[in-house]
Amino acid sequence: MLMQRMMWIAWPAFLMAGVMEMVVFAFVDPGALYWFDEPLQLSRQGIYTLAFFVFWAVLMASSALTTLLTISPFEVNRCPVPTGERPLDCAKYS
């Protein structure tokens, strides 16, 4: 289930990072980018690559938050300890 959730997070973020890359760099020239009043010391391809991974990370965080908010109360409150070893306050959430 964990791997399935990771794919729910990573795959849509990957696709949208590609779209975002195309949209942003259709309007922005990578050679004209500055960081702290200094031009970036990366090639165009390096800027494209770095921007893609930044977009992907931000979109993965967004997808992860959405996935976190879809977890049911049962999944959050269930007791992970086996039935015979549960403390008293954990028994009601089996």
Side-chain angles (χ1 to χ4, degrees), residues 5 68-77:
R5 283 203 179 147
L68 176 69
L69 293 173
T70 63
I71 295 176
S72 72
F74 173 76
E75 290 178 281
V76 173
N77 294 325

Side-chain angles (χ1 to χ4, degrees), residues 1-2 5 12 20 33 56 64 77 83-84:
M1 185 67 175
L2 180 64
R5 283 203 179 147
M20 204 167 160
L33 294 177
W56 194 13
N77 294 325
T83 307

Side-chain angles (χ1 to χ4, degrees), residues 30-50:
L33 294 177
Y34 285 81
W35 185 262
F36 293 114
D37 293 330
E38 303 249 346
L40 290 175
Q41 300 298 321
L42 294 171
S43 66
R44 287 182 183 270
Q45 187 175 6
I47 293 171
Y48 291 141
T49 303
L50 181 65

